[in-house]
Every structure is written in C-alpha cells, then in structure tokens.
Amino acid sequence: MAHSVAVKTSGLALKASAFGLIVMASPALAAGDSKGGLPQLDFTTWPTQIFWLVVSFALAYVLMWRVVTPRIASVLEDRHDRLDDDMQRARQAADEAESMRVAFEKTLADARAEATEKTRLSTAAAVAEAEKKNDAAAKRLATKIGKAEAKIMEARDNALTELDDVAVTSAIDAAAALAGVKITKTDAKKAVKAAAKAMPAMEQN
Amino acid sequence: MHSPVEQFTIKSLLALELFGFDISFSNSALFMMLSVLVSVTYLTMAMRRREIVPGRLQASAEMFYEFISEMVKSNVGSEGRPFFPFIFTLFIFLLFGNMLGLIPYSYTFTSQIVVTFVLAAFIFVGVTLVALIKHGMHFFSFFVPPGAPKVLVPFLIIIEVISYFVRPVSLSVRLFANMLAGHTMLKVFAGLAVMLTSAGGVFAAGSVLPFLALIGLTGLEVLVAGLQAYVFTILTCMYLNDALHLH
C-alpha cells in the first residue's frame, strides 16, 4: 500500500514538474501582470490567507469532531449492532430448527422401531396360530381319512365276500347245468377259493 | 488578454484588519468557508434520517467516513484513532476545496503555496510533537536507520534529518503545484479557444480543438483534485505512523 502510493505520488510529482515547465515556458506567464510573477508569491496576501485558513479549518475540525463523525459513527454502530443482533437471532433459530429436526428424527426412528417390533410380534403370533390351526386341521383330516379308508376297506371286503357267494352259486348252477353234477356248497366254496388263489391279480384289484 | 495565472489573484471582498495585519475576507477565504459549509451541510443532511439501509446520499457520506477510517486503521493502526477527526477534516477540507475550485468562476484556495504550506507545517510540527511526547529522547533514534553499517551512520543521519525536514516542503509543494499547473493549463486552453473564436473564419472553426482538449483536461483535473486530497491525507497518515511507531 505504502509502496504503491509512493510510486503514484512520485509519478504525479513528475507530472506536476512537467506541467510546471510548461507554465514556466508559457510566454503569457513570463510577461506576468502589472504586479509581476505569480499571485501566490505576493506576500501581502499571506496574512489574510493564513488567518482564514486557521479560522475555516478550526471550524471544520470542531464541526467534524463534534457533529459529523459522531453522527456517522453512531449510525454505523447501530447498523453493526442490528446486524449482530439479527445474526445472533438467525443463528439461534437455526440451532432451534436443528434440535427440532433431531427430535423429529428420533421420534420417527422410535416409531419405526416400535412398528417393526409390533409387526414382528404379531407375525410370529399369527404364524404360531396358523400352525396350530393347520396341525388341528391336519389331525382332523387324518382321522377322517383313516375312517373313510376303513369304511372303504370294509365295503371292499363285503363286496369281495358277496362276490365269492355269487361265484359259489354260479359255480353250482354252472356245474348243474353243464355237467348235470350236483355239487355241494362246501365243495363249490373250495373250488372258488382255489380259483381265486390262482388269480391273485383279481384279489389285488 | 488576461494572464493564465491571473485567476490566482487574491481579491479582497471585505476589508478587515487585525493587529496591523490585513485579514480581509477575500475570494480565497470565501471558498475556504464554502468548503467547510458545503461539506458539513452535505455530511449532516446525508445522515439526517439515520437509515439502517442507507439511500444513495447517506451511503456516499458513510463511504467517505469508512474510506478515511480504513485509511487511518491500515496506515496508523489502532493508536491513530484519536487523530481520526483531524485526518477526516483534512481530507474533506482539501477534497471540497479542490473540487469547488474546478467550478468556473470559483477560487481554488489549495493553489496557494501559503495555504498548503501552513497545513503541511502544522502537520509536521504536530507529528513531531506527538513523537516527542510519546517517545521522548528515544525519538531521535528515528534518524538512525536500523542495521546500517557504523561507518555510514553519520552520513545516514544527515540524510535522514534532511529528508525529515523536507517533508513539509514536498507535502505542500505537491498539492500547490498540481493545482497551479492544472488550473493554468485549463486557462491556457480556454484562452486559446476564446482567442481563435474572436479571430473568426477558419480560426473560429479550429477553436473546437482546444475546447475538446479543455473538456478532457477538466476530467483529468477532477481526478487530480480527488487524488491530491487523498495523497496529502495518506502521507499525513504515514508521518503520523512514523511518529507513533518510529521504525
């Protein structure tokens, strides 16, 4: 900063001296007015200039010192305070919002965990219930199936016995009609049993 | 045909005398007072509404304040704070003096060597007193550059002392010469334009050239007016910094 200013001022001083040369070279200046030379070098005007410089500068200093600068300073200070205040409030609001967000997230997480736990529990309960019911139903079904199977077996046995009787009767009738031989029921039965044994496939069926 | 330096003549407006000295209220005094009144009125009126969000006028006044405040802070430091009103007054007084002086038919009091020299001498004496009060006899170590070879010290002291005493001269001559040269140039070109116009014919048409140059120079002089007020003020800050901190 100081350096650049020094450079600037030396540049300006150069410029000023160049201007000064022009001024010196100006024939109008060299001729001068009736008093001769620069009015700046007329010492008789110096006292009045010094006097009014002191008066006006002192007046300016007192006014700037007492009125102008304190007024500007107070406005700048007010603004600074106000900004600080606003910044502080904004920071506070941001902090509050942050804590609210944290609280909200915690509530949400809690609720989520609770819901998960409840779902898990109720699912487990439902599964157990369903399994119980399933088992009961399976048992019931098994007994029903067993009974039905027994009934079917019984019916088949009956049917087979009946079939044997039919076979015996038809064997007696066939023997009588074909060979004219009268065979007893007992003999017929024996023959049917033997035939049945020879045809296990039928029995199987 | 008037001389281009006739504009610097002090004209008495109201004859006054004090202890045998002529202290007439002159054109120079009028513009010194105007500089004070205009600047103080402007700065006071601009801050009248004390707005938190400033309008243009208030922002400009605050800008001047902060500009000088920043200048004092960065060049002198926190110890420069008590001198802030003085530095601020100095800058505003010179700036308004230079600027008002650019208005046609006005008077530029900063084009007077006596004015700039009295200001510079006051600053020189004030700064030296500040240094003596703050550092006492130790102040004189200021004239011995630190780390200089012992053989060179006597010569360096002479150089440092001369450069110290040249300060008020260079400070005052810089501002005075800039104002004198600038206003003389303006007058020369204005005079040329008028002369060519009164010559008539082709010369009258040619008067456009110095007139255009005059417009450009006026712009340059506005820059110089601001810059010289700034340079005078910042050099004052640096002298004050030297006084408060020595090296």
Side-chain angles (χ1 to χ4, degrees):
Chain A
M1 179 81 186
H3 213 76
S4 71
V5 167
V7 170
K8 244 189 251 171
T9 51
S10 66
L12 280 166
L14 245 171
K15 197 207 80 171
S17 56
F19 273 23
L21 277 177
I22 296 168
V23 171
M24 295 310 167
S26 160
L29 181 72
D33 53 14
S34 54
K35 279 179 189 169
L38 281 170
Q40 279 87 341
L41 301 177
D42 177 3
F43 304 118
T44 59
T45 65
W46 286 22
T48 159
Q49 290 192 71
I50 295 169
F51 177 81
W52 288 104
L53 173 66
V54 171
V55 169
S56 59
F57 195 86
L59 178 69
Y61 179 71
V62 170
L63 287 172
M64 296 291 179
W65 176 39
R66 287 293 185 194
V67 184
V68 175
T69 55
R71 194 174 285 209
I72 301 175
S74 82
V75 171
L76 292 178
E77 213 164 286
D78 280 359
R79 181 175 310 145
H80 192 254
D81 289 353
R82 173 86 172 266
L83 280 177
D84 271 4
D85 211 43
D86 285 0
M87 283 302 282
Q88 182 137 11
R89 258 187 294 164
R91 228 172 279 131
Q92 221 167 339
D95 286 354
E96 261 168 45
E98 180 59 22
S99 60
M100 270 164 91
R101 193 185 65 81
V102 168
F104 164 74
E105 261 169 19
K106 196 182 169 304
T107 316
L108 194 68
D110 285 356
R112 202 169 275 154
E114 204 182 327
T116 314
E117 182 62 17
K118 271 188 180 161
T119 313
R120 199 182 62 76
L121 281 177
S122 60
T123 311
V127 165
E129 180 81 359
E131 262 171 13
K132 219 165 82 185
K133 274 187 181 161
N134 220 9
D135 283 359
K139 246 179 222 164
R140 259 201 327 273
L141 275 176
T143 40
K144 263 189 187 169
I145 288 167
K147 272 180 197 165
E149 271 177 354
K151 261 184 193 167
I152 289 165
M153 292 300 267
E154 207 187 296
R156 201 190 61 168
D157 284 356
N158 289 345
L160 280 176
T161 326
E162 264 166 41
L163 202 66
D164 282 357
D165 288 349
V166 171
V168 168
T169 335
S170 37
I172 294 169
D173 289 349
L178 297 172
V181 186
K182 222 181 171 189
I183 51 168
T184 61
K185 227 177 180 180
T186 323
D187 287 340
K189 256 182 197 170
K190 269 181 195 166
V192 166
K193 256 183 196 160
K197 261 183 193 161
M199 287 195 297
M202 271 188 69
E203 185 106 15
Q204 286 288 309
N205 197 33
Chain B
M1 191 61 211
H2 292 299
S3 152
V5 291
E6 202 191 297
Q7 59 176 319
F8 303 116
T9 312
I10 300 285
K11 290 179 190 124
S12 169
L13 303 174
L14 178 71
L16 288 171
E17 212 185 279
L18 189 74
F19 307 126
F21 287 108
D22 171 29
I23 54 154
S24 300
F25 191 77
S26 61
N27 48 358
S28 164
L30 174 67
F31 278 88
M32 287 176 189
M33 283 306 198
L34 272 178
S35 168
V36 176
L37 289 180
V38 170
S39 60
V40 169
T41 309
Y42 152 63
L43 291 170
T44 313
M45 286 296 116
M47 300 308 292
R48 193 187 41 190
R49 284 199 263 162
R50 307 177 54 94
E51 286 168 321
I52 290 292
V53 179
R56 277 182 216 174
L57 195 66
Q58 190 183 323
S60 69
E62 287 175 11
M63 199 185 68
F64 279 123
Y65 181 94
E66 283 179 329
F67 177 60
I68 299 301
S69 175
E70 196 49 46
M71 189 196 284
V72 172
K73 209 183 288 167
S74 60
N75 288 291
V76 191
S78 56
E79 284 170 297
R81 197 67 211 168
F83 303 98
F84 170 74
F86 176 78
I87 305 284
F88 186 74
T89 310
L90 185 67
F91 177 71
I92 296 290
F93 185 69
L94 291 176
L95 182 71
F96 277 73
N98 291 352
M99 290 293 184
L100 287 175
L102 280 171
I103 298 169
Y105 299 104
S106 70
Y107 189 84
T108 320
F109 62 82
T110 45
S111 67
Q112 288 280 347
I113 181 72
V114 62
V115 172
T116 59
F117 187 76
V118 167
L119 275 176
F122 177 75
I123 289 159
F124 175 77
V125 171
V127 155
T128 308
L129 285 178
V130 166
L132 279 171
I133 290 165
K134 188 158 193 291
H135 303 286
M137 285 301 118
H138 192 64
F139 161 68
F140 295 101
S141 75
F142 180 69
F143 299 111
V144 186
K150 284 222 161 63
V151 195
L152 288 176
V153 165
F155 302 101
L156 286 174
I157 288 173
I158 294 167
I159 292 168
E160 288 287 331
V161 169
I162 291 171
S163 83
Y164 190 77
F165 282 93
V166 162
R167 276 176 176 189
V169 178
S170 67
L171 188 62
S172 59
V173 168
R174 185 180 298 110
L175 177 58
F176 151 72
N178 269 282
M179 290 302 124
L180 171 72
H183 285 265
T184 309
M185 285 281 279
L186 289 179
K187 206 62 145 197
V188 166
F189 277 89
L192 191 60
V194 170
M195 212 160 68
L196 286 172
T197 314
S198 56
V202 188
F203 295 110
S207 72
V208 170
L209 291 174
F211 190 75
L212 285 177
L214 193 61
I215 293 170
L217 277 177
T218 307
L220 181 72
E221 284 313 309
V222 172
L223 181 77
V224 169
L227 203 61
Q228 287 305 318
Y230 169 72
V231 166
F232 199 98
T233 315
I234 201 160
L235 283 171
T236 304
C237 284
M238 285 172 185
Y239 297 161
L240 189 59
N241 182 48
D242 282 347
L244 289 171
H245 306 113
L246 293 183
H247 286 292

